[in-house]
Amino acid sequence: MSGNLFDLFRSRFPADLAKAFMEVPGGRTWSYGDLEQQSGRYARALSDLGVAPGDRVAVQVEKSPEAVFLINGCLRAGAVLLPLNPAYQAGELEYFLADAEPVVVVCAPARHAELSGIAAKAGVAARVVTLGSHGDGSLPELVASAAADFVTVARDGGDLAAILYSSGTTGRPKGAMLSHDNLAANARTLHTLWGFRPGDVLLHALPIFHTHGLFVAINCVLLNGTGMIFCAKFDADEVLSLLPRATVMMGVPTFYVRLLGSPGLTADLCRGMRLFISGSAPLLVETFSEFQARTGHTILERYGMTEGGMYTSNPLDGARKPGTVGPALPDVELRVTGEDGRTLPAGEVGGIEVRGPNLFSGYWRMPEKTKAEFTADGFFRTGDVGVIDADGYVSIVGRAKDLIISGGFNVYPKEVEDAVDALDGVLESAVVGMPHPDFGEAGLAVVVPRGGAQLDGEALLRQLKGQLANFKVPKQVVVVSELPRNAMGKVQKTVLRDRYAEAWTAAMGKRA
Ligand code: AMP
């Protein structure tokens, strides 16, 4: 078996290839035999378009079964997959294409002319082909006439399988280079740790341009050789109707909040489920507890990122502690370091660093940036701030760049958010650092009321003053109906900083 990740998947296919791999609700069920045939045809079509091993293939398409075949076709052709969020617009796409220089670009039929123009502008001589969400487009036409007997290209485990641009909110996006071995290592670990077994059915409602839905979810299914229910997007009613037929669900916290918003979510509905997993953004303790009370299920929270897949997970058997992301995975080393780079003892807050076989080899064509993000002994600086408890469980305090330095003191937004969230009438909050004439920076709390609660910002601040040191208390509160989130459910703090910049400056000017 070569190091090609697809060879590993193939070795785990069920003996009976007629067994279900992917069921589209209200649509067709595709078998493992279909996956073998279709991915082979996609690999053949890509080769016919001129894709050689190591070439990049950019894929900006809607979620569909054909997209899954295409992704596996890329692996089999030895190509390097470059998944792109369908929401990306011209300027962003031009940057990605110029940076990654793909040989083939696959896009939605409606965007063919636009993408062709963007590729030309980016100076990339790529073939632009299309794939629709209903299996239409020019690539499926090529695939239909391609032979299915493609022999998967042998790869070394260290060869690149994908470049994923990190969703970083500052600076230029960076392409994380992931090898076949990186992806295989994380998939094997998660498959074992989360106890995947015969008969498991994964409910898949995540996007597939991001590591969570793309690798964490689908690779566990493929290593298990069992089926998944493949929803085009997350829709609470649809997911509720499908839960009785699934055993495992992976979601972002927003999924769980939305499911709790429906009276249809009951313990009875979930009786066939064995595991609910959450990640990509912090799961509120309240959501964790409400879900437990309503369904009897304890959500398993885990933590990771584009650059390495998963790093930590609460256990399958054993305590799943709310507000934590669990201990490091068995093959991942994780430490928390201080500003001087020294490893901190349990209980102290610092930068999270990780090392393991799942970790990417660096940022595409950014050797300097890569060097800066790795320590001399090979640990990657995640940019997350966290703390490890006496049992080895990790809690994420926030992103280092979101740290607020007010009057010279470090303020961790998470600590303040937890205090705000605990106040009467508050559902959730986000605290961001804003420029302050006296303190350099100070906190702005953006708060969402619970139900129809009427919140008075000044009253909230008065209550906080009784609970937090004065330098941690935000200087201003804005009440909103919801927080801005990206497709993965992450609160977009840069959006908040931009949105309230003027009002903040005006308010601070008046106070000064
Ligand atoms: P991405 O590269 O888009 O997957 O984003 C990774 C980032 O999401 C991490 O660096 C964390 O800041 C955040 N993240 C992922 N999982 C969790 C979690 N369970 N709790 C808190 N933050 C998380």
Side-chain angles (χ1 to χ4, degrees):
M1 191 162 91
S2 91
N4 193 315
L5 179 63
F6 187 83
D7 286 343
L8 171 63
F9 295 155
R10 183 64 190 84
S11 71
R12 306 286 195 102
F13 279 16
D16 176 5
L17 289 179
K19 288 231 165 102
F21 161 55
M22 175 168 46
E23 175 196 332
V24 179
R28 180 173 170 182
T29 296
W30 302 82
S31 67
Y32 272 89
D34 292 327
L35 171 61
E36 167 129 307
Q37 271 221 358
Q38 290 294 320
S39 61
R41 288 183 198 274
Y42 272 88
R44 163 66 55 215
L46 290 173
S47 305
D48 290 349
L49 286 168
V51 173
D55 284 346
R56 274 79 58 206
V57 174
V59 175
Q60 192 198 25
V61 299
E62 295 300 332
K63 186 176 177 183
S64 71
E66 289 74 14
V68 175
F69 300 140
L70 167 61
I71 289 162
N72 281 279
C74 282
L75 280 178
R76 295 188 65 178
V80 180
L81 173 73
L82 193 84
L84 296 169
N85 187 337
Y88 284 145
Q89 296 303 313
E92 294 158 312
L93 292 170
E94 191 184 327
Y95 168 77
F96 293 128
L97 299 192
D99 192 47
E101 296 185 289
V103 168
V104 166
V105 176
V106 188
C107 67
R111 296 189 77 175
H112 183 259
E114 185 194 1
L115 261 293
S116 303
I118 293 169
K121 218 169 147 206
V124 176
R127 287 287 299 272
V128 181
V129 291
T130 62
L131 178 63
S133 45
H134 300 289
D136 50 345
S138 58
L139 184 57
E141 268 174 43
L142 297 174
V143 166
S145 57
D149 57 350
F150 189 84
V151 179
T152 300
V153 172
R155 298 306 277 158
D156 279 338
D159 287 335
L160 289 191
I163 298 177
L164 262 59
Y165 281 86
S166 67
S167 57
T169 44
T170 50
R172 288 195 302 149
K174 304 176 290 282
M177 299 190 287
L178 293 157
S179 68
H180 291 263
D181 274 354
N182 292 151
L183 299 175
N186 210 227
R188 284 182 195 274
T189 301
L190 298 176
H191 177 261
T192 305
L193 196 80
W194 292 338
F196 274 88
R197 58 195 69 169
D200 263 339
V201 176
L202 180 92
L203 185 43
H204 192 303
L206 291 158
I208 55 167
F209 55 79
H210 181 274
T211 187
H212 192 168
L214 177 61
F215 295 138
V216 180
I218 297 182
N219 292 359
C220 277
V221 170
L222 286 169
L223 283 200
N224 206 44
T226 55
M228 64 177 165
I229 305 176
F230 199 64
C231 305
K233 59 178 175 31
F234 177 83
D235 174 274
D237 290 334
E238 182 176 59
V239 165
L240 287 173
S241 74
L242 296 168
L243 275 179
R245 295 182 31 234
T247 62
V248 181
M249 187 176 103
M250 296 186 193
V252 295
T254 329
F255 287 11
Y256 294 107
V257 173
R258 299 243 178 96
L259 290 177
L260 282 166
S262 166
L265 179 73
T266 59
D268 191 43
L269 196 77
C270 301
R271 70 179 183 279
M273 288 290 294
R274 70 167 185 87
L275 188 59
F276 287 94
I277 302 175
S278 176
S280 289
L283 180 74
L284 292 179
V285 173
E286 185 178 355
T287 310
F288 175 96
S289 309
E290 263 184 50
F291 201 85
Q292 205 169 37
R294 181 94 73 88
T295 66
H297 282 276
T298 308
I299 298 175
L300 179 154
E301 185 172 8
R302 92 297 176 282
Y303 152 72
M305 68 202 300
T306 300
E307 283 84 344
M310 295 302 100
Y311 303 152
T312 74
S313 171
N314 272 285
L316 185 66
D317 303 311
R320 298 180 196 160
K321 294 194 200 177
T324 82
V325 293
L329 300 181
D331 55 352
V332 173
E333 295 167 84
L334 184 148
R335 67 189 184 196
V336 169
T337 60
E339 270 164 32
D340 58 2
R342 273 194 305 179
T343 302
L344 298 174
E348 286 191 29
V349 174
I352 297 179
E353 297 179 355
V354 288
R355 184 166 72 176
N358 50 330
L359 215 69
F360 76 135
S361 54
Y363 293 114
W364 173 256
R365 291 181 178 166
M366 287 188 175
E368 292 307 314
K369 188 80 197 157
T370 301
K371 224 169 121 196
E373 304 294 350
F374 280 88
T375 63
D377 56 351
F379 277 77
F380 171 60
R381 300 187 175 98
T382 62
D384 288 312
V385 178
V387 57
I388 307 179
D389 74 10
D391 302 326
Y393 282 58
V394 178
S395 297
I396 310 294
V397 175
R399 297 287 298 163
K401 64 176 169 23
D402 291 331
L403 179 77
I404 304 169
I405 304 181
S406 196
F409 293 110
N410 285 357
V411 180
Y412 297 106
K414 175 82 170 19
E415 185 190 355
V416 186
E417 287 159 4
D418 286 348
V420 176
D421 293 354
L423 298 176
D424 267 355
V426 175
L427 177 66
E428 60 172 349
S429 63
V431 171
V432 291
M434 304 292 271
H436 189 277
D438 293 337
F439 304 117
E441 257 187 327
L444 163 72
V446 184
V447 181
V448 181
R450 173 185 305 284
Q454 292 291 319
L455 291 181
D456 170 0
E458 292 298 325
L460 292 182
L461 290 179
R462 277 198 297 279
Q463 293 177 66
L464 285 177
K465 280 186 183 145
Q467 297 175 22
L468 293 172
N470 211 26
F471 70 93
K472 294 182 190 170
V473 177
K475 296 283 172 278
Q476 208 187 336
V477 170
V478 181
V479 179
V480 298
S481 58
E482 63 178 354
L483 298 173
R485 288 195 148 86
N486 70 10
M488 300 311 295
K490 293 186 213 294
V491 174
Q492 294 171 299
K493 291 200 164 175
T494 29
V495 171
L496 292 176
R497 280 187 278 262
D498 292 348
R499 187 177 292 169
Y500 299 109
E502 262 182 47
W504 168 268
T505 312
M508 291 304 124
K510 254 186 252 150
R511 285 180 190 198

